């Protein structure tokens, strides 16, 4: 609504034209056992609408995989087959054109490559995972674990091949102070357990020399935050977080709402609401 002295009030309508994003910039393709991991840089222009995901496609036979950040894993590939792969960015309008291509040949003998990282907790016997970014996130923000530490935080590094030796794990907080942890190898995972960590902390986990029968994985470094009640990973607890957990009471835990069960009791209750309220105003360093 625009009012000009001496003239009638005029209503102005502005139309915002949205489009698909530009194509991502392709990086490298890492061969795994029956899969490939593709790295990329998000496009500079998102089409005027936030990018919601990225889809990688490998040919022949159109194998696909999706992620909200780089890298993206494409599973179910045939070992020994040469694939040509590209990535598209997707927003509310649709997918971008494909990026340039890279080639990759999956192999049973390929060294272990990182597939994803996640924080796992048991909610009254049911396991639920919070994914941790391993590359460039869409919003550029660190991933946050919003649930209480309980008996400890457990971070999984999942690789493309079997891991028999977890290698060396070093964890430091935002002040470069060492954080005590234990690490074990299980199947394709290196499991890092943090038995004690104060809430509202940022850490970096560095993992080197993780090895299996097919070789040694590349060194990995992942940063993440811990802030009870920060459900949208914006590094702060505010009124929207309190409203969100209230809206989920008194529902049982499911894949759709497990983050709101901050004490991992198996149900979302007034106790969870109180825990979030008590942290209102906290901002992750």
């Amino acid at each position: 609504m625009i009012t000009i002295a001496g003239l009638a009030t005029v209503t102005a309508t502005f139309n915002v034209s949205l489009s698909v994003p530009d194509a991502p910039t392709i990086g490298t393709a890492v061969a795994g056992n029956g899969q490939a991991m593709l790295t990329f840089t998000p496009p500079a222009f998102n089409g005027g609408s936030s990018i919601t995901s990225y889809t990688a496609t490998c040919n022949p036979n159109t194998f696909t995989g999706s992620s909200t950040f780089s890298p993206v894993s494409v599973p179910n590939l045939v070992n020994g087959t040469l694939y040509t792969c590209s990535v598209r960015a997707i927003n509310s309008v649709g997918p971008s054109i494909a990026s340039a291509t890279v080639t990759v040949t999956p192999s049973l003998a390929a060294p272990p490559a990182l597939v994803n990282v996640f924080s796992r907790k048991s909610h009254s016997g049911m396991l639920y995972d919070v994914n941790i970014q391993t590359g460039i996130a869409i919003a550029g923000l660190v991933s946050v674990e919003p649930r209480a530490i309980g008996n400890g935080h457990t971070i999984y590094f999942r690789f493309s091949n079997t891991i028999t030796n977890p290698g060396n794990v070093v964890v430091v907080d935002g002040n470069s102070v060492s954080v005590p942890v234990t690490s074990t190898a299980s199947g394709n995972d290196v499991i890092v357990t943090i038995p004690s960590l104060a809430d509202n902390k940022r850490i970096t986990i560095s993992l080197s020399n993780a090895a299996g029968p097919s070789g040694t994985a590349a060194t990995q470094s992942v940063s993440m935050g811990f802030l009870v009640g920060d459900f949208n990973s914006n590094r702060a607890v505010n009124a929207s977080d309190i409203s969100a957990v209230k809206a989920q009471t008194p529902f049982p835990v499911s894949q759709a709402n497990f983050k709101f069960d901050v004490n991992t009791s198996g149900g979302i209750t007034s106790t969870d609401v109180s825990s979030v309220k008590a942290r209102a105003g906290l901002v992750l360093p």
Side-chain angles (χ1 to χ4, degrees), residues 56-106:
T57 302
C58 293
N59 285 300
N61 298 324
T62 315
F63 293 93
T64 63
S66 295
S67 178
T68 54
F69 47 80
S70 174
V72 56
S73 174
V74 181
N76 303 315
L77 303 181
V78 178
N79 288 332
T81 300
L82 177 66
Y83 290 92
T84 300
C85 306
S86 61
V87 179
R88 297 176 187 265
I90 301 171
N91 67 7
S92 62
V93 179
S96 70
I97 63 172
S99 68
T101 61
V102 289
T103 58
V104 62
T105 303

Short mmCIF file of all heavy atoms in Angstrom, two decimals, residues 56-106:
data_model
loop_
_atom_site.label_atom_id
_atom_site.label_comp_id
_atom_site.label_asym_id
_atom_site.label_seq_id
_atom_site.Cartn_x
_atom_site.Cartn_y
_atom_site.Cartn_z
N ALA A 56 22.20 -36.69 -7.32
CA ALA A 56 23.29 -37.14 -8.19
C ALA A 56 22.78 -38.30 -9.05
O ALA A 56 22.01 -39.14 -8.57
CB ALA A 56 24.49 -37.58 -7.38
N THR A 57 23.18 -38.33 -10.30
CA THR A 57 22.78 -39.39 -11.23
C THR A 57 24.02 -39.97 -11.88
O THR A 57 24.89 -39.23 -12.34
CB THR A 57 21.84 -38.84 -12.31
OG1 THR A 57 20.69 -38.25 -11.69
CG2 THR A 57 21.39 -39.96 -13.25
N CYS A 58 24.10 -41.30 -11.89
CA CYS A 58 25.21 -42.00 -12.54
C CYS A 58 24.66 -42.93 -13.62
O CYS A 58 23.73 -43.70 -13.38
CB CYS A 58 26.02 -42.81 -11.53
SG CYS A 58 26.92 -41.80 -10.32
N ASN A 59 25.24 -42.84 -14.80
CA ASN A 59 24.87 -43.69 -15.93
C ASN A 59 26.04 -44.52 -16.38
O ASN A 59 27.19 -44.12 -16.22
CB ASN A 59 24.36 -42.81 -17.09
CG ASN A 59 22.97 -42.27 -16.81
OD1 ASN A 59 22.04 -43.04 -16.64
ND2 ASN A 59 22.84 -40.95 -16.75
N PRO A 60 25.79 -45.73 -16.93
CA PRO A 60 24.51 -46.20 -17.47
C PRO A 60 23.52 -46.67 -16.41
O PRO A 60 23.89 -46.90 -15.27
CB PRO A 60 24.94 -47.37 -18.37
CG PRO A 60 26.19 -47.88 -17.72
CD PRO A 60 26.89 -46.67 -17.20
N ASN A 61 22.25 -46.77 -16.84
CA ASN A 61 21.14 -47.34 -16.07
C ASN A 61 20.59 -46.41 -14.97
O ASN A 61 19.82 -46.86 -14.13
CB ASN A 61 21.49 -48.70 -15.49
CG ASN A 61 21.78 -49.73 -16.56
OD1 ASN A 61 21.15 -49.72 -17.62
ND2 ASN A 61 22.76 -50.60 -16.31
N THR A 62 20.99 -45.15 -14.98
CA THR A 62 20.35 -44.11 -14.16
C THR A 62 20.23 -44.48 -12.69
O THR A 62 19.13 -44.66 -12.15
CB THR A 62 18.96 -43.75 -14.73
OG1 THR A 62 19.04 -43.61 -16.15
CG2 THR A 62 18.46 -42.44 -14.13
N PHE A 63 21.35 -44.60 -12.02
CA PHE A 63 21.37 -44.77 -10.56
C PHE A 63 21.40 -43.38 -9.93
O PHE A 63 22.12 -42.49 -10.39
CB PHE A 63 22.59 -45.58 -10.13
CG PHE A 63 22.56 -47.00 -10.59
CD1 PHE A 63 23.17 -47.38 -11.78
CD2 PHE A 63 21.92 -47.98 -9.84
CE1 PHE A 63 23.15 -48.70 -12.20
CE2 PHE A 63 21.90 -49.30 -10.24
CZ PHE A 63 22.51 -49.66 -11.43
N THR A 64 20.64 -43.19 -8.84
CA THR A 64 20.57 -41.87 -8.23
C THR A 64 20.77 -41.93 -6.72
O THR A 64 20.59 -42.97 -6.09
CB THR A 64 19.20 -41.20 -8.51
OG1 THR A 64 18.16 -41.99 -7.91
CG2 THR A 64 18.95 -41.03 -9.99
N GLY A 65 21.11 -40.79 -6.16
CA GLY A 65 21.21 -40.60 -4.71
C GLY A 65 20.94 -39.15 -4.40
O GLY A 65 21.12 -38.28 -5.26
N SER A 66 20.48 -38.86 -3.17
CA SER A 66 20.13 -37.49 -2.79
C SER A 66 20.75 -37.11 -1.46
O SER A 66 21.02 -37.97 -0.62
CB SER A 66 18.60 -37.33 -2.72
OG SER A 66 18.01 -37.50 -3.98
N SER A 67 20.94 -35.81 -1.27
CA SER A 67 21.46 -35.28 -0.02
C SER A 67 21.12 -33.80 0.05
O SER A 67 20.77 -33.19 -0.97
CB SER A 67 22.98 -35.47 0.06
OG SER A 67 23.51 -34.92 1.25
N THR A 68 21.21 -33.23 1.24
CA THR A 68 21.01 -31.79 1.39
C THR A 68 22.33 -31.02 1.37
O THR A 68 22.33 -29.80 1.48
CB THR A 68 20.27 -31.47 2.70
OG1 THR A 68 20.96 -32.05 3.79
CG2 THR A 68 18.84 -32.01 2.65
N PHE A 69 23.45 -31.73 1.25
CA PHE A 69 24.74 -31.07 1.19
C PHE A 69 25.75 -32.01 0.55
O PHE A 69 25.47 -33.18 0.30
CB PHE A 69 25.24 -30.65 2.59
CG PHE A 69 25.11 -31.73 3.64
CD1 PHE A 69 26.05 -32.74 3.73
CD2 PHE A 69 24.05 -31.72 4.53
CE1 PHE A 69 25.93 -33.73 4.69
CE2 PHE A 69 23.93 -32.71 5.50
CZ PHE A 69 24.87 -33.71 5.58
N SER A 70 26.92 -31.49 0.24
CA SER A 70 27.99 -32.28 -0.36
C SER A 70 28.76 -33.03 0.73
O SER A 70 28.97 -32.49 1.83
CB SER A 70 28.95 -31.34 -1.10
OG SER A 70 30.08 -32.01 -1.59
N PRO A 71 29.15 -34.31 0.49
CA PRO A 71 28.97 -35.09 -0.74
C PRO A 71 27.64 -35.82 -0.77
O PRO A 71 26.99 -35.95 0.26
CB PRO A 71 30.15 -36.08 -0.66
CG PRO A 71 30.29 -36.34 0.81
CD PRO A 71 30.00 -35.02 1.48
N VAL A 72 27.28 -36.31 -1.95
CA VAL A 72 26.08 -37.13 -2.09
C VAL A 72 26.51 -38.52 -2.55
O VAL A 72 27.39 -38.66 -3.41
CB VAL A 72 25.07 -36.51 -3.07
CG1 VAL A 72 25.68 -36.26 -4.43
CG2 VAL A 72 23.84 -37.37 -3.18
N SER A 73 25.93 -39.54 -1.94
CA SER A 73 26.29 -40.93 -2.24
C SER A 73 25.29 -41.53 -3.22
O SER A 73 24.07 -41.35 -3.06
CB SER A 73 26.30 -41.75 -0.94
OG SER A 73 26.52 -43.12 -1.21
N VAL A 74 25.80 -42.24 -4.21
CA VAL A 74 24.95 -42.98 -5.17
C VAL A 74 25.18 -44.47 -4.92
O VAL A 74 26.27 -44.99 -5.18
CB VAL A 74 25.30 -42.62 -6.62
CG1 VAL A 74 24.39 -43.39 -7.58
CG2 VAL A 74 25.15 -41.12 -6.85
N PRO A 75 24.17 -45.19 -4.39
CA PRO A 75 24.35 -46.60 -4.04
C PRO A 75 23.94 -47.53 -5.19
O PRO A 75 23.50 -47.08 -6.25
CB PRO A 75 23.38 -46.76 -2.86
CG PRO A 75 22.25 -45.83 -3.21
CD PRO A 75 22.89 -44.65 -3.92
N ASN A 76 24.13 -48.83 -4.94
CA ASN A 76 23.65 -49.91 -5.83
C ASN A 76 24.35 -49.96 -7.17
O ASN A 76 23.81 -50.51 -8.14
CB ASN A 76 22.13 -49.80 -6.05
CG ASN A 76 21.36 -49.82 -4.74
OD1 ASN A 76 21.64 -50.63 -3.86
ND2 ASN A 76 20.39 -48.93 -4.61
N LEU A 77 25.56 -49.40 -7.26
CA LEU A 77 26.33 -49.47 -8.50
C LEU A 77 26.99 -50.84 -8.63
O LEU A 77 27.18 -51.56 -7.64
CB LEU A 77 27.39 -48.37 -8.54
CG LEU A 77 26.88 -46.93 -8.40
CD1 LEU A 77 28.04 -45.94 -8.47
CD2 LEU A 77 25.84 -46.61 -9.46
N VAL A 78 27.36 -51.20 -9.85
CA VAL A 78 27.99 -52.48 -10.13
C VAL A 78 29.51 -52.31 -10.13
O VAL A 78 30.05 -51.49 -10.90
CB VAL A 78 27.52 -53.05 -11.49
CG1 VAL A 78 28.22 -54.37 -11.78
CG2 VAL A 78 26.00 -53.23 -11.48
N ASN A 79 30.19 -53.05 -9.27
CA ASN A 79 31.65 -52.95 -9.22
C ASN A 79 32.26 -53.28 -10.57
O ASN A 79 31.82 -54.21 -11.26
CB ASN A 79 32.21 -53.90 -8.15
CG ASN A 79 31.93 -53.40 -6.75
OD1 ASN A 79 31.80 -52.21 -6.52
ND2 ASN A 79 31.84 -54.32 -5.79
N GLY A 80 33.29 -52.53 -10.94
CA GLY A 80 33.98 -52.76 -12.20
C GLY A 80 33.37 -52.06 -13.39
O GLY A 80 33.91 -52.13 -14.50
N THR A 81 32.26 -51.37 -13.22
CA THR A 81 31.58 -50.65 -14.31
C THR A 81 31.96 -49.17 -14.25
O THR A 81 31.93 -48.55 -13.19
CB THR A 81 30.06 -50.79 -14.20
OG1 THR A 81 29.71 -52.18 -14.29
CG2 THR A 81 29.35 -50.02 -15.30
N LEU A 82 32.29 -48.60 -15.41
CA LEU A 82 32.61 -47.19 -15.49
C LEU A 82 31.31 -46.38 -15.58
O LEU A 82 30.48 -46.61 -16.47
CB LEU A 82 33.47 -46.89 -16.71
CG LEU A 82 33.82 -45.41 -16.96
CD1 LEU A 82 34.71 -44.88 -15.85
CD2 LEU A 82 34.49 -45.25 -18.33
N TYR A 83 31.14 -45.45 -14.64
CA TYR A 83 29.93 -44.61 -14.61
C TYR A 83 30.30 -43.16 -14.87
O TYR A 83 31.37 -42.68 -14.48
CB TYR A 83 29.24 -44.71 -13.25
CG TYR A 83 28.60 -46.05 -13.00
CD1 TYR A 83 29.31 -47.06 -12.34
CD2 TYR A 83 27.29 -46.31 -13.40
CE1 TYR A 83 28.73 -48.30 -12.11
CE2 TYR A 83 26.70 -47.55 -13.17
CZ TYR A 83 27.43 -48.54 -12.52
OH TYR A 83 26.85 -49.77 -12.29
N THR A 84 29.38 -42.46 -15.52
CA THR A 84 29.48 -41.02 -15.72
C THR A 84 28.41 -40.36 -14.86
O THR A 84 27.22 -40.69 -14.98
CB THR A 84 29.28 -40.65 -17.19
OG1 THR A 84 30.29 -41.30 -17.97
CG2 THR A 84 29.38 -39.14 -17.39
N CYS A 85 28.82 -39.43 -13.99
CA CYS A 85 27.91 -38.91 -12.96
C CYS A 85 27.85 -37.38 -12.98
O CYS A 85 28.82 -36.71 -13.32
CB CYS A 85 28.38 -39.35 -11.56
SG CYS A 85 28.61 -41.14 -11.39
N SER A 86 26.68 -36.86 -12.59
CA SER A 86 26.47 -35.42 -12.49
C SER A 86 25.55 -35.14 -11.31
O SER A 86 24.97 -36.05 -10.73
CB SER A 86 25.87 -34.86 -13.79
OG SER A 86 24.60 -35.46 -14.02
N VAL A 87 25.41 -33.85 -10.97
CA VAL A 87 24.59 -33.44 -9.83
C VAL A 87 23.64 -32.32 -10.26
O VAL A 87 24.02 -31.45 -11.06
CB VAL A 87 25.47 -32.95 -8.66
CG1 VAL A 87 24.61 -32.51 -7.48
CG2 VAL A 87 26.43 -34.05 -8.22
N ARG A 88 22.42 -32.33 -9.72
CA ARG A 88 21.45 -31.25 -9.93
C ARG A 88 21.04 -30.68 -8.58
O ARG A 88 20.95 -31.41 -7.59
CB ARG A 88 20.19 -31.75 -10.65
CG ARG A 88 20.44 -32.27 -12.07
CD ARG A 88 19.15 -32.84 -12.65
NE ARG A 88 19.36 -33.50 -13.92
CZ ARG A 88 19.19 -32.94 -15.10
NH1 ARG A 88 18.77 -31.67 -15.16
NH2 ARG A 88 19.40 -33.60 -16.22
N ALA A 89 20.78 -29.37 -8.54
CA ALA A 89 20.23 -28.71 -7.35
C ALA A 89 18.71 -28.59 -7.53
O ALA A 89 18.22 -28.38 -8.64
CB ALA A 89 20.84 -27.32 -7.18
N ILE A 90 17.96 -28.72 -6.44
CA ILE A 90 16.50 -28.71 -6.51
C ILE A 90 15.95 -27.65 -5.54
O ILE A 90 16.35 -27.62 -4.37
CB ILE A 90 15.92 -30.09 -6.17
CG1 ILE A 90 16.45 -31.14 -7.15
CG2 ILE A 90 14.40 -30.07 -6.20
CD1 ILE A 90 16.11 -32.56 -6.76
N ASN A 91 15.05 -26.81 -6.04
CA ASN A 91 14.32 -25.89 -5.17
C ASN A 91 12.82 -26.09 -5.37
O ASN A 91 12.40 -27.09 -5.98
CB ASN A 91 14.75 -24.43 -5.41
CG ASN A 91 14.36 -23.92 -6.80
OD1 ASN A 91 13.65 -24.59 -7.56
ND2 ASN A 91 14.82 -22.72 -7.12
N SER A 92 11.99 -25.17 -4.89
CA SER A 92 10.54 -25.35 -4.97
C SER A 92 10.02 -25.34 -6.40
O SER A 92 8.92 -25.83 -6.67
CB SER A 92 9.84 -24.26 -4.16
OG SER A 92 10.13 -22.97 -4.69
N VAL A 93 10.79 -24.77 -7.33
CA VAL A 93 10.37 -24.74 -8.73
C VAL A 93 10.69 -26.05 -9.42
O VAL A 93 9.90 -26.56 -10.23
CB VAL A 93 11.03 -23.55 -9.45
CG1 VAL A 93 10.62 -23.52 -10.93
CG2 VAL A 93 10.66 -22.25 -8.77
N GLY A 94 11.85 -26.61 -9.11
CA GLY A 94 12.25 -27.86 -9.74
C GLY A 94 13.75 -28.03 -9.76
O GLY A 94 14.48 -27.28 -9.11
N PRO A 95 14.26 -29.01 -10.53
CA PRO A 95 15.70 -29.28 -10.58
C PRO A 95 16.41 -28.37 -11.58
O PRO A 95 15.85 -27.96 -12.59
CB PRO A 95 15.77 -30.74 -11.03
CG PRO A 95 14.53 -30.93 -11.85
CD PRO A 95 13.47 -30.05 -11.22
N SER A 96 17.67 -28.09 -11.27
CA SER A 96 18.51 -27.34 -12.19
C SER A 96 18.92 -28.23 -13.36
O SER A 96 18.63 -29.44 -13.38
CB SER A 96 19.78 -26.87 -11.47
OG SER A 96 20.62 -27.99 -11.17
N ILE A 97 19.59 -27.63 -14.32
CA ILE A 97 20.24 -28.45 -15.32
C ILE A 97 21.37 -29.21 -14.63
O ILE A 97 21.79 -28.86 -13.53
CB ILE A 97 20.79 -27.61 -16.49
CG1 ILE A 97 21.86 -26.64 -16.00
CG2 ILE A 97 19.66 -26.88 -17.20
CD1 ILE A 97 22.59 -25.91 -17.13
N ALA A 98 21.85 -30.25 -15.27
CA ALA A 98 22.90 -31.07 -14.68
C ALA A 98 24.24 -30.34 -14.69
O ALA A 98 24.51 -29.52 -15.58
CB ALA A 98 23.02 -32.39 -15.41
N SER A 99 25.04 -30.63 -13.70
CA SER A 99 26.41 -30.11 -13.66
C SER A 99 27.25 -30.77 -14.74
O SER A 99 26.77 -31.65 -15.48
CB SER A 99 27.03 -30.42 -12.29
OG SER A 99 27.23 -31.83 -12.17
N ALA A 100 28.48 -30.36 -14.84
CA ALA A 100 29.43 -31.12 -15.65
C ALA A 100 29.55 -32.53 -15.08
O ALA A 100 29.06 -32.81 -13.98
CB ALA A 100 30.78 -30.41 -15.65
N THR A 101 30.17 -33.42 -15.79
CA THR A 101 30.24 -34.82 -15.36
C THR A 101 31.63 -35.22 -14.90
O THR A 101 32.63 -34.59 -15.26
CB THR A 101 29.81 -35.77 -16.50
OG1 THR A 101 30.70 -35.59 -17.62
CG2 THR A 101 28.39 -35.48 -16.94
N VAL A 102 31.65 -36.26 -14.08
CA VAL A 102 32.89 -36.92 -13.68
C VAL A 102 32.66 -38.42 -13.83
O VAL A 102 31.52 -38.89 -13.86
CB VAL A 102 33.28 -36.60 -12.22
CG1 VAL A 102 33.74 -35.17 -12.08
CG2 VAL A 102 32.13 -36.88 -11.27
N THR A 103 33.75 -39.16 -13.95
CA THR A 103 33.64 -40.61 -14.10
C THR A 103 34.19 -41.31 -12.87
O THR A 103 35.06 -40.79 -12.18
CB THR A 103 34.39 -41.10 -15.35
OG1 THR A 103 35.77 -40.72 -15.25
CG2 THR A 103 33.78 -40.52 -16.61
N VAL A 104 33.66 -42.50 -12.62
CA VAL A 104 34.08 -43.28 -11.46
C VAL A 104 33.80 -44.74 -11.71
O VAL A 104 32.82 -45.10 -12.39
CB VAL A 104 33.34 -42.80 -10.19
CG1 VAL A 104 31.84 -43.00 -10.30
CG2 VAL A 104 33.89 -43.45 -8.94
N THR A 105 34.66 -45.61 -11.19
CA THR A 105 34.48 -47.06 -11.31
C THR A 105 34.48 -47.68 -9.92
O THR A 105 35.54 -47.79 -9.28
CB THR A 105 35.61 -47.69 -12.15
OG1 THR A 105 35.65 -47.07 -13.43
CG2 THR A 105 35.37 -49.19 -12.31
N PRO A 106 33.32 -48.04 -9.39
CA PRO A 106 33.26 -48.68 -8.06
C PRO A 106 34.05 -49.99 -8.05
O PRO A 106 34.18 -50.66 -9.08
CB PRO A 106 31.76 -48.94 -7.86
CG PRO A 106 31.07 -48.05 -8.84
CD PRO A 106 31.99 -47.92 -10.00
#
